[in-house]
Amino acid sequence: MSRKLPILTLILLVSFCTPAIAIAPFGPPAANLGKGKTSVGISYTYSKMSLDFDNGSSPGGGPAFTLDGIKSHGVFVDISRGFNDKWEAFIRLGAGSTRNTNNVAGTSVHIHDPDKGYALGFGTKWTFCQPRENLKLGGIFQMLWTEVESEGKINGNRWDTNTSMVEVQLAVGPHYQFRENISLYGGAFVNYVDGEFFARRKNVANKISYDIDSGELFGGFIGTSLDINASTALNVEWQHTSALDLFGLSLVIEFD
């Protein structure tokens, strides 16, 4: 048997079982909630991302490869709390779905949704300074853990798979109140993805493992926030790096 066939089979298995990639939006990069206030945010994201698979280990070899243009839809719920006028923090729950068609080693592969999985995260925002009444400079730090279980089927053989990932983003930038109910925000950020992929063939000792990463990628983001009323705002946002493009919508409701 040609060595190319088992290698392609391993790449196909990894590709079919890649997790739902769920990059989250930032929102304005400064604390705006206020001391003692709580907010609930619901977000939708659409993203395209590239990920590297390397340090592979498997019976048929572990060739490194890259999946480009992984398309994902994500939904997030954030619960935020303001601790003072310059600092707030949040917890996050999320889920997503993934679609991708790629050409790997001359073979077309297609990613489907996983069987089950979840995303959990947290983050915090600071206001560094406020040089003008309508201008704040601040930063955001956020992390998201994704755990996905699925099943692959190659040449009639079933494989159980598990993928765990952590995504870290750190952003800084201004938040400018353009009009009474409209503000603009944006800035620079670093995005880092790291994970592990494991697969075990049912009733057989065969195992596969890969490291997953995007590298430390720098990029920019821009958005606008529209105040619908005194307690509700709609954010529209775009993030970009050399390996990521994300469009996000967020509805945020504040409570005293």
Side-chain angles (χ1 to χ4, degrees):
M1 179 183 293
S2 169
R3 181 174 176 78
K4 184 177 180 181
L5 180 58
I7 289 176
L8 288 178
T9 299
L10 298 177
I11 294 176
L12 283 166
L13 178 61
V14 173
S15 301
F16 270 90
C17 302
T18 300
I21 309 302
I23 301 291
F26 291 125
N32 294 294
L33 195 52
K35 182 178 180 179
K37 290 188 176 182
T38 301
S39 71
V40 175
I42 301 174
S43 303
Y44 163 78
T45 62
Y46 171 76
S47 62
K48 291 179 65 176
M49 190 175 188
S50 298
L51 290 174
D52 297 326
F53 288 76
D54 48 33
N55 298 322
S57 175
S58 68
F65 61 97
T66 299
L67 289 182
D68 295 315
I70 302 172
K71 300 177 182 179
S72 297
H73 300 269
V75 178
F76 303 93
V77 176
D78 295 349
I79 301 176
S80 304
R81 180 73 173 177
F83 295 96
N84 56 48
D85 291 338
K86 294 185 177 182
W87 176 43
E88 63 188 60
F90 60 87
I91 58 174
R92 171 173 288 152
L93 301 175
S97 64
T98 301
R99 286 288 187 273
N100 178 252
T101 298
N102 240 296
N103 189 290
V104 181
T107 299
S108 179
V109 299
H110 178 69
I111 293 175
H112 65 82
D113 296 332
D115 292 340
K116 57 181 177 179
Y118 63 87
L120 300 174
F122 74 94
T124 186
K125 296 184 180 184
W126 306 269
T127 297
F128 301 144
C129 62
Q130 188 169 357
R132 294 165 54 181
E133 183 178 355
N134 63 343
L135 177 63
K136 293 181 179 181
L137 301 177
I140 304 168
F141 173 81
Q142 59 186 26
M143 295 184 69
L144 190 71
W145 288 269
T146 305
E147 188 80 18
V148 175
E149 294 180 3
S150 189
E151 183 180 271
K153 186 176 181 181
I154 302 294
N155 295 331
N157 300 312
R158 295 184 179 275
W159 296 70
D160 291 322
T161 68
N162 178 272
T163 309
S164 59
M165 297 181 63
V166 60
E167 301 162 55
V168 180
Q169 291 179 303
L170 178 63
V172 294
H175 180 203
Y176 176 65
Q177 193 71 39
F178 179 66
R179 293 185 177 178
E180 183 178 356
N181 66 332
I182 301 175
S183 61
L184 303 175
Y185 64 87
F189 73 98
V190 60
N191 183 78
Y192 178 72
V193 176
D194 184 60
E196 295 179 322
F197 170 85
F198 296 97
R200 181 191 297 270
R201 184 174 165 182
K202 289 182 179 292
N203 304 317
V204 180
N206 290 350
K207 298 179 182 179
I208 297 172
S209 67
Y210 269 94
D211 291 338
I212 306 172
D213 69 82
S214 66
E216 295 185 14
L217 299 175
F218 293 88
F221 69 105
I222 188 171
T224 183
S225 183
L226 173 65
D227 293 335
I228 298 174
N229 55 44
S231 61
T232 306
L234 176 66
N235 301 327
V236 182
E237 181 178 313
W238 177 51
Q239 299 177 19
H240 174 75
T241 73
S242 60
L244 168 70
D245 276 292
L246 176 142
F247 172 77
L249 291 172
S250 302
L251 186 68
V252 182
I253 303 174
E254 295 184 7
F255 304 91
D256 292 325

